[in-house]
Amino acid sequence: MDMESGGVRGASKSTSRHLNRGNVLSNLVLRNGHVIDPANGLNAVADVRVSSGTVETVGQAIPARPGDREIDVTGFLVTPGIIDMHAHVAHTHARSELSLHPLVNTLSSGVTTVVDAGTTGWRDFAQFRHDAIDNRWKIRVLGFVNIVGSGMGGPWEHESIEMNPKLAAATATMHADVAVGIKTAHYWAKRRFDADHAPWMAVDRAVEAAELCGMPVMVDFFPTLPERPYEDLILKKMRAGDIHTHVFAQQFPIVDDNGSVLRHMHEARDRGVIFDLGHGAGSFWFRNAVPAIQDGFVPDSISTDLHTGNVAGVVIDMLTCMNKILNIGVSLEQVIAMSTVAPAREINRPELGTLTPGGPADIAVLAMDEGDFTFVDCERTTMPGDRRLRCELTIYGGDIVYNPNGRGRASWEQDARNNPLPLHVRSQQF
Ligand SMILES: [Zn+2]
């Protein structure tokens, strides 16, 4: 724990602590963008004024004040900062080569909050916090605590001694300002269950830990043996608010031969079970996703499961995942909701994923490109599409952190005329 972060330990769910780190924040007005803020039912052209790291006003023709930086975003979408609630960003985790640095393919995709999905457990979550969560980078990192003490990456993920509900719950509680739930995954390599390897041990213990700390469970599951069918997971084991990630993986019975969504999916949803995309290297198949969505079963949230094995394809980033869902036929507003307000609600961080005044100024400015595009799933099959979201600006805590086209910046010729001796760096911002 470094000196800077020591003061916030044990604080209640804090988002503002990541802001205002050493930079003088400029006030900013985004002019004339198409604002989509599903949490507030807003889908209209409007201005957004950012002040001191927070959203100040969203409305029509907001007057500029002296010193405001104004950026014309006419023709672009303005959305809350994107939340990726399933990624692997414990980049220093000793036993796993899974994780990426939190800045890899995030800011460039409008992502301002990235949630590590249980790469670490009760033994090493504190180290993850030290190395990645309490960061000086301009991105918010949160995490699930794995029910397995040593986290992901090896045969210990099947050892009962690793799955200690009390220690997992205590870890989540101790880090409640940055821990968002309990994770269970990868408990299926064993082909035979015995006294030390009960079929539901990992899920049961994760739920027990979640009960103790009052948080949701995120479940990554593989119904390898008849002792643990998928239907029992979503109808008997998971609770309201628990999250089944990887919903369109090929191993789950989602649709019947006619493409109709199976009844247990609707029953589970009626029970309050949450279904998350969790694309991953093997968990998004068009043959499940397309018929399910076309039959009305749209996942609650979109997430990448981004890690070293899929960052160059087939996942790439959040926008690529969102574009697949968009081109299957889900509305733009719903795709934005599935990537902002929905994950914020699922991880119990309602101040995120919205442009509500007073909240952190985490904002994505997106372009909608039209043309002939191709999208690829985990089976390496393709689907054509004609729309593609692209990130034009990312703003984190009021700071512009991604601006590949220099939007709002002067041309070099204009700059040379106005500032004949630019022998200094004028701004750390983009
Ligand atoms: Zn994962």
Side-chain angles (χ1 to χ4, degrees):
M1 190 58 63
D2 63 54
M3 294 302 286
E4 279 236 334
S5 60
V8 300
R9 194 167 194 170
S12 61
K13 292 162 192 170
S14 162
T15 49
S16 60
R17 68 189 187 80
H18 286 279
L19 312 178
N20 287 313
R21 288 208 169 164
N23 271 26
V24 178
L25 294 164
S26 59
N27 296 332
L28 185 66
V29 182
L30 299 173
R31 284 274 179 232
N32 208 36
H34 178 170
V35 178
I36 299 181
D37 181 12
N40 289 309
L42 185 60
N43 188 344
V45 172
D47 298 342
V48 178
R49 185 166 195 276
V50 167
S51 171
S52 302
T54 60
V55 175
E56 187 189 82
T57 320
V58 179
Q60 306 295 325
I62 296 172
R65 294 189 206 142
D68 276 359
R69 180 177 173 190
E70 294 184 73
I71 301 181
D72 180 7
V73 291
T74 302
F76 291 95
L77 302 163
V78 177
T79 75
I82 304 296
I83 300 171
D84 186 356
M85 62 172 276
H86 182 161
H88 294 278
V89 293
H91 63 302
T92 61
H93 191 233
R95 286 173 300 281
S96 160
E97 290 164 4
L98 190 71
S99 280
L100 296 160
H101 189 288
L103 292 178
V104 175
N105 288 19
T106 46
L107 300 182
S108 58
S109 198
V111 172
T112 51
T113 297
V114 60
V115 183
D116 182 88
T119 309
T120 60
W122 47 268
R123 290 189 201 278
D124 44 21
F125 189 88
Q127 186 71 43
F128 162 52
R129 177 174 188 151
H130 176 273
D131 293 348
I133 293 179
D134 292 335
N135 65 66
R136 290 173 169 278
W137 315 308
K138 296 201 173 169
I139 189 165
R140 180 178 299 97
V141 181
L142 304 171
F144 285 84
V145 177
N146 202 309
I147 187 63
V148 172
S150 298
M152 293 181 176
W156 55 84
E157 290 185 75
H158 301 91
E159 293 173 10
S160 60
I161 197 169
E162 286 280 336
M163 299 178 202
N164 187 318
K166 288 198 175 80
L167 289 175
T171 302
T173 302
M174 179 186 295
H175 299 283
D177 55 329
V178 296
V180 300
I182 304 292
K183 177 77 186 290
T184 174
H186 304 170
Y187 183 68
W188 54 70
K190 276 190 116 52
R191 297 293 155 179
R192 184 172 67 77
F193 296 115
D194 54 35
D196 280 335
H197 302 92
W200 292 103
M201 180 171 70
V203 170
D204 285 343
R205 293 194 186 183
V207 170
E208 187 182 339
E211 287 282 333
L212 290 170
C213 65
M215 293 185 190
V217 180
M218 179 185 271
V219 180
D220 170 2
F221 190 76
F222 204 112
T224 31
L225 292 174
E227 290 94 324
R228 26 182 256 154
Y230 179 59
E231 292 88 327
D232 283 3
L233 174 75
I234 58 175
L235 295 180
K236 294 179 183 165
K237 296 291 180 180
M238 294 177 69
R239 309 162 304 161
D242 288 342
I243 303 148
H244 176 229
T245 190
H246 305 312
V247 61
F248 292 142
Q250 48 98 19
Q251 69 264 27
F252 300 116
I254 304 286
V255 291
D256 64 18
D257 291 342
N258 300 319
S260 297
V261 172
L262 294 166
R263 231 178 72 181
H264 55 250
M265 300 303 290
H266 297 298
E267 288 174 16
R269 188 162 257 183
D270 289 345
R271 294 181 64 238
V273 169
I274 304 289
F275 292 94
D276 173 59
L277 192 72
H279 189 307
S283 298
F284 181 81
W285 291 54
F286 286 135
R287 63 169 68 189
N288 273 1
V290 175
I293 288 174
Q294 288 179 347
D295 194 35
F297 193 88
V298 179
D300 296 275
S301 49
I302 296 173
S303 66
T304 60
D305 189 19
L306 200 65
H307 57 70
T308 51
N310 61 38
V311 66
V314 290
V315 174
I316 303 175
D317 56 19
M318 266 300 279
L319 287 182
T320 304
C321 295
M322 291 161 67
N323 284 327
K324 292 176 188 179
I325 300 303
L326 183 70
N327 281 279
I328 290 174
V330 178
S331 74
L332 174 63
E333 183 171 5
Q334 191 168 357
V335 166
I336 299 299
M338 292 162 77
S339 314
T340 56
V341 62
R345 186 172 53 231
E346 292 171 29
I347 62 172
N348 197 24
R349 294 295 190 280
E351 71 278 18
L352 303 177
T354 173
L355 299 174
T356 301
D362 297 353
I363 303 170
V365 177
L366 307 174
M368 178 69 86
D369 293 336
E370 295 183 0
D372 292 327
F373 307 118
T374 303
F375 301 97
V376 187
D377 74 355
C378 294
E379 199 183 9
R380 306 299 192 268
T381 64
T382 63
M383 184 192 76
D386 55 12
R387 294 192 295 168
R388 196 167 65 183
L389 291 164
R390 169 173 55 77
C391 186
E392 180 73 4
L393 276 179
T394 305
I395 298 168
Y396 173 73
D399 284 346
I400 296 176
V401 292
Y402 181 76
N403 186 5
N405 293 317
R407 182 152 295 276
R409 287 296 182 194
S411 76
W412 68 269
E413 291 152 305
Q414 187 186 348
D415 190 65
R417 269 198 308 277
N418 296 342
N419 301 290
L421 290 173
L423 298 176
H424 60 281
V425 178
R426 278 189 215 95
S427 172
Q428 299 290 325
Q429 277 204 36
F430 295 106

